Amino acid sequence: FSKVAREQYGKLVIMHSNMETLYQNVLEYFAIDPKKTSVEELFTDLSNFRSMFTQALKENLRRKESEEKQRRARAAKEKAEREKQERQQKKRRLLEVNAENDETGVMDSLLEALQSGAAFRDRRKRMPRPRDNQQQMISPSSFRQVLRPVNHG
């Protein structure tokens, strides 16, 4: 028993001296007076610094993400606005007829309007028909008048 205990005690003495050396190095590195600061205070301060530092890193990351999100939203809004203005300008150009009755390119612009669908876009709001009047106007007898049998023979 005493042989094993002496070996363990020797290891503990070596570990303690290494710890003391490292502790003195830390105190010297941070310029801390060992007479005024206890070991507990030092480690409490280090722990507080570490937790505040990691919290600051997380906050910075969240702020960067929100700034990036806002930047992307602004870019998308500006792009949508530009596209809207381009569509409006294209529509104006298509609908404008020169005052001099110069009809060169009119067919091309009309074909382009038909292909793009700009000729069919009507931005005006339509007034919905009152439902009461529709129900009164539509009756089964009115369908019979429209749908007549056709003889194809």
Side-chain angles (χ1 to χ4, degrees), residues 5-146:
R6 283 187 186 125
E7 288 175 11
Q8 290 180 349
Y9 178 74
K11 288 179 185 178
L12 285 175
V13 169
I14 293 171
M15 289 173 60
H16 184 265
S17 65
N18 286 340
M19 183 200 62
E20 283 288 327
T21 306
L22 291 173
Y23 177 71
Q24 292 301 323
N25 290 341
V26 167
L27 292 177
E28 185 179 326
Y29 180 79
F30 288 116
I32 297 174
D33 186 10
K35 295 175 184 172
K36 294 181 181 176
T37 306
S38 69
V39 176
E40 292 83 15
E41 289 175 0
L42 174 69
F43 286 114
T44 302
D45 291 344
L46 288 174
S47 176
N48 289 339
F49 173 79
R50 183 189 157 281
S51 63
M52 290 170 54
F53 184 77
T54 55
Q55 182 180 359
L57 286 176
K58 289 176 185 177
E59 288 175 6
N60 289 343
L61 181 63
R62 273 188 249 130
R63 188 172 357 127
K64 283 181 182 179
E65 287 174 352
S66 67
E67 287 173 358
E68 180 67 20
K69 188 184 252 186
Q70 288 174 353
R71 186 190 62 77
R72 278 188 260 128
R74 254 183 289 154
K77 186 177 179 181
E78 290 172 0
K79 182 180 178 185
E81 189 65 32
R82 278 195 309 270
E83 289 174 354
K84 181 179 177 183
Q85 288 176 354
E86 288 174 5
R87 283 194 307 269
Q88 288 175 349
Q89 289 175 353
K90 191 179 274 189
K91 187 174 180 179
R92 281 190 214 118
R93 277 187 261 132
L94 291 173
L95 297 177
E96 283 180 357
V97 176
N98 291 344
E100 304 160 356
N101 289 332
D102 184 15
E103 295 184 3
T104 56
V106 171
M107 288 303 289
D108 292 334
S109 63
L110 288 175
L111 283 173
E112 185 180 336
L114 288 172
Q115 289 173 347
S116 69
F120 303 111
R121 290 190 199 117
D122 189 10
R123 301 273 185 206
R124 289 179 276 156
K125 299 272 183 183
R126 296 183 183 194
M127 295 297 292
R129 294 182 187 169
R131 293 211 177 251
D132 295 339
N133 293 344
Q134 277 185 336
Q135 289 175 355
Q136 291 173 359
M137 293 172 61
I138 298 174
S139 65
S141 61
S142 65
F143 286 125
R144 284 188 217 119
Q145 294 171 1
V146 175

